[in-house]
Every structure is written in structure tokens, then in C-alpha cells.
Amino acid sequence: MDDRKIQIFLDSLLPLFKAGVAFTIPLTLVSFVLGLTLAVITALVRLSSWRIPKLIAGFYVWVIRGTPLLLQLFIIFYGLPSVGIVLDPFIAAVIGFTLSVGAYSSEIVRAAILSIHKGQWEAAFSVGMSRGQALRRVILPQAARVSVPPLSNSFISLVKDTSLAASITYVEMFRKAQQITATTYEPLLLYCEAGLFYLLFCSVLSVLQKYLEKRLDRYSAG
């Protein structure tokens, strides 16, 4: 690597890191929290006996899982203005990622709830709990422990998926790498550098995931 490339690498470290911390991570956190909330609601509706809401929830999961995330982002950001709905790139990205996380994670939550032994329901009912109380106090806490590993994987995947927001002009870390590349003409160097930051963020999250799993295992054992 010559001196020019080394200088470009060093000069772009801070802008890429700032874009990651100021835009990529907040987009990931907001989308995941909203998506997880949507996932729990969707999972509970799909496990309920309400026919129409159950069909709507199933249709939503089917559509989101059956179409590319990039296409969904394009429809939200570039398609909706044709019917008079114009969204800021950040809002459009949050909506797109929230819908995606909600659909995929709802299957994780639903499977986790179904994995709880029927005897847990019966035990809760035997002490006078209603279905809602049993769900809230007994079933969901246990389902949460079961679903932590797959949900953590979804969260880490979401960090990488946020790079798709560059396609709707949201200036997150990948978009920043594209902008720097446009002035330096060093795509290999800049995209590899952005990849290193994604690796760094995902590695930190993986360590936190293992720590959380150990804490929950200890709690379960206790």
C-alpha cells in the first residue's frame, strides 16, 4: 500500500466510525426495538383464536418474508410518494427494517412460546391466574430466555442489513464509504475499511450476546 492509500485509509477512519455510531447503530436500535414489539404482538395474535386478526397477521408475515428487503425499502421510499406519502430517509428505513424484524422475529417468539410445556399453563391456572396473567407472569419470561439466542442473531444481522438504507439515500456507514469513494476513487480500500467497522460492531454485539446468554442460563439454573 502506497503513502496515498495509507493517508486515505487514516483520513476516512473517523468519518466512517462517526457514521457508524451516529447513524448505523441508532437506526439498528430503533428498528429492532420497534420490530421486536411488533413481533410479540404478531406472535400473540397468531396464537390467539381471533380469526380475522390472525389472518391479517399471517398475511403480513407471508408478504414480508416472501419479498426482498431492498424491494420493500424502495416501495416505501420511492413508491409511496406517487400516492402522496413522502417520507424522510431515516423514517422510511425505520419502517422498512421494523416491518422486516417484526415478521421474522414473530416466528421466533411464536416458536419460543409454543416450546413452553403445557404443564406451565396448567400450573398457572391451578393457582387462579387468568390466561393473560399466566402469559405475562409465567410463559413470556420463559419464552424470552428461549428466544434470546435467535433474536440476538437477528439483531446482529440487522446491523449489516442497515447498509441497504444507503440505497434510499440515508447516510449511514456504507453510504459514507460510497461518498468518500466518489472523491478518492479507491473503492476496494474504502469498502474493505467499512467492512472492518461492520466486523467490529458485530463482534462487540456477539460478545454481549454470549454474556447475556450466560446470565440467563445462570438465572434459569438458579
Side-chain angles (χ1 to χ4, degrees):
M1 186 183 292
D2 58 34
D3 291 344
R4 176 180 169 276
K5 289 183 179 179
I6 292 174
Q7 192 59 50
I8 291 173
F9 181 86
L10 294 175
D11 289 345
S12 56
L13 278 175
L14 189 57
L16 287 177
F17 181 73
K18 279 184 176 178
V21 173
F23 299 102
T24 297
I25 296 301
L27 175 60
T28 305
L29 289 174
V30 172
S31 300
F32 190 75
V33 170
L34 294 176
L36 194 55
T37 304
L38 180 61
V40 173
I41 294 170
T42 303
L44 292 177
V45 169
R46 295 194 73 189
L47 291 171
S48 72
S49 56
W50 306 327
R51 190 177 174 191
I52 301 300
K54 198 172 175 179
L55 285 173
I56 294 171
F59 179 76
Y60 151 64
V61 172
W62 173 68
V63 169
I64 297 298
R65 291 179 68 191
T67 53
L69 177 56
L70 183 60
L71 175 68
Q72 295 161 17
L73 289 172
F74 269 53
I75 289 174
I76 294 168
F77 186 71
Y78 295 113
L80 289 183
S82 63
V83 293
I85 302 174
V86 180
L87 297 170
D88 176 82
F90 176 75
I91 300 298
V94 167
I95 292 173
F97 292 128
T98 296
L99 290 174
S100 178
V101 171
Y104 283 96
S105 297
S106 70
E107 292 299 278
I108 296 173
V109 174
R110 191 166 70 97
I113 292 174
L114 290 173
S115 72
I116 305 303
H117 194 275
K118 191 179 177 183
Q120 297 291 317
W121 285 98
E122 295 170 350
F125 293 148
S126 70
V127 296
M129 289 187 187
S130 64
R131 182 176 176 81
Q133 289 173 324
L135 184 69
R136 190 172 62 255
R137 297 178 183 176
V138 179
I139 303 303
L140 283 182
Q142 295 182 67
R145 286 197 291 275
V146 173
S147 59
V148 163
L151 286 178
S152 299
N153 286 331
S154 296
F155 183 63
I156 292 171
S157 294
L158 182 60
V159 174
K160 294 174 286 183
D161 288 343
T162 56
S163 62
L164 293 174
S167 63
I168 58 170
T169 73
Y170 181 65
V171 188
E172 43 68 65
M173 191 162 57
F174 181 62
R175 180 73 173 179
K176 177 58 71 176
Q178 287 180 316
Q179 290 178 341
I180 299 173
T181 298
T183 58
T184 59
Y185 303 102
E186 291 293 346
L188 179 61
L189 176 66
L190 268 300
Y191 293 145
C192 286
E193 191 174 358
L196 289 176
F197 277 113
Y198 280 111
L199 275 174
L200 173 66
F201 291 147
C202 290
S203 298
V204 171
L205 292 173
S206 295
V207 171
L208 291 175
Q209 174 191 354
K210 289 177 182 174
Y211 173 76
L212 182 59
E213 287 177 18
K214 283 183 181 177
R215 292 281 298 179
L216 289 173
D217 286 344
R218 193 181 307 167
Y219 177 74
S220 300

